[in-house]
Amino acid sequence: MEARTRAPGRAPAAVVWERYAEPARWPGWAPQITGVEASARRIAPGVTGRVRGPLGVRVAFTVTEVDPTARTWAWEARIGPVRLRLRHGVEPDGATWLVVRGPAPVVLAYLPIARLALRSLTRRQAPIA
């Protein structure tokens, strides 16, 4: 299944992009992420790592594409046999979007959490992390 969601821009596009570009900042705007271990400080094709979630859940990831000029990037997240492919973008007005592809039950469960995270990502105030 593939689904798409979007959040309006409240912060400048460059600010939103930087919040995406540094995995260490993800817990500051994504409530489902409690920590990130990444092989590099910034996203780039081939960067790998693990996202920590509630109850000790760890999700492995690999960044597959990054276009800083277009402010788009994609990654694959894996937990056991379940794989999600996620594509993100930041529009010139600071709005952001997500396209997620994976098993329908997982995508449908993830979308409300993703919407909340995207709204936090685009907020004007600086995230905590």
Side-chain angles (χ1 to χ4, degrees):
M1 169 184 197
E2 183 175 286
R4 182 181 186 100
T5 190
R6 183 180 182 279
R10 294 181 185 91
V15 170
V16 176
W17 176 252
E18 285 304 308
R19 292 173 183 168
Y20 265 143
E22 295 182 13
R25 296 179 74 178
W26 297 352
W29 54 265
Q32 74 276 22
I33 297 176
T34 62
V36 179
E37 302 157 8
S39 63
R41 188 179 154 274
R42 294 181 66 83
I43 58 172
V47 168
T48 60
R50 294 199 183 281
V51 172
R52 292 188 309 273
L55 305 174
V57 172
R58 291 181 182 264
V59 178
F61 71 84
T62 302
V63 176
T64 56
E65 301 172 42
V66 178
D67 183 340
T69 303
R71 294 189 176 115
T72 60
W73 70 289
W75 60 322
E76 183 177 281
R78 302 169 309 284
I79 184 165
V82 177
R83 292 181 188 269
L84 289 180
R85 289 179 176 80
L86 305 101
R87 183 161 181 74
H88 299 270
V90 179
E91 298 173 6
D93 66 356
T96 187
W97 51 264
L98 162 68
V99 177
V100 59
R101 179 181 291 167
V106 178
V107 170
L108 292 172
Y110 181 67
L111 276 178
I113 297 164
R115 285 185 189 109
L116 179 63
L118 293 182
R119 283 194 298 271
S120 181
L121 172 67
T122 63
R123 74 179 181 261
R124 197 166 283 287
Q125 304 91 316
I128 296 166

